[in-house]
């Protein structure tokens, strides 16, 4: 379920016709880099660099802001806005807990 939600929000951003500059503002990366993150989410590797986790977080929090209603969000993504925002919060909490244990906040998670 979580993988599907992340993939759907990333695909929502990938399907936007507005190019790389808006993608960089929304996700922190251009479309080619975002496509690499999409492939990684769909694949068997579950280890992500912090910059990739930022892309996941940004996709989850910005997709609800770009859709005019809960209904539109649900129809396009297949999940509720609150689920996307809760997952984004969970990413931040997990990274905080991981970096606190490891003593390093710059590597992979």
């Amino acid at each position: 379920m979580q993988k599907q939600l992340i993939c759907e929000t990333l695909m929502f951003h990938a399907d936007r016709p507005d190019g790389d500059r808006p993608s960089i503002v929304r996700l922190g990366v251009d479309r080619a880099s975002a496509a690499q993150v999409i492939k990684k989410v769909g694949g068997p590797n579950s280890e992500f660099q912090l910059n990739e986790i930022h892309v996941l977080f940004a996709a989850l929090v910005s997709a609800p802001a770009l859709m005019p209603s809960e209904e539109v969000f649900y129809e396009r993504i297949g999940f509720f806005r609150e689920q996307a925002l809760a997952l984004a919060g969970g990413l931040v909490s997990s990274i905080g807990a991981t970096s606190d244990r490891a003593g390093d906040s710059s590597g992979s998670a």
Side-chain angles (χ1 to χ4, degrees), residues 6-76:
I6 290 170
C7 284
E8 290 298 329
T9 58
L10 284 167
M11 290 305 298
F12 166 75
H13 288 287
D15 290 345
R16 297 184 63 79
D18 50 7
D20 278 337
R21 291 172 60 99
S23 176
I24 292 168
V25 171
R26 285 189 306 268
L27 301 178
V29 296
D30 61 21
R31 297 174 127 214
S33 298
Q36 292 302 314
V37 175
I38 292 170
K39 286 181 186 177
K40 197 168 185 178
V41 170
N45 183 359
S46 61
E47 189 170 313
F48 293 88
Q49 297 295 316
L50 282 177
N51 63 325
E52 294 169 328
I53 294 170
H54 174 264
V55 173
L56 303 180
F57 174 84
L60 288 165
V61 299
S62 62
L66 295 170
M67 293 187 219
S69 70
E70 178 72 48
E71 181 179 354
V72 170
F73 185 86
Y74 186 82
E75 287 174 2
R76 172 60 178 85

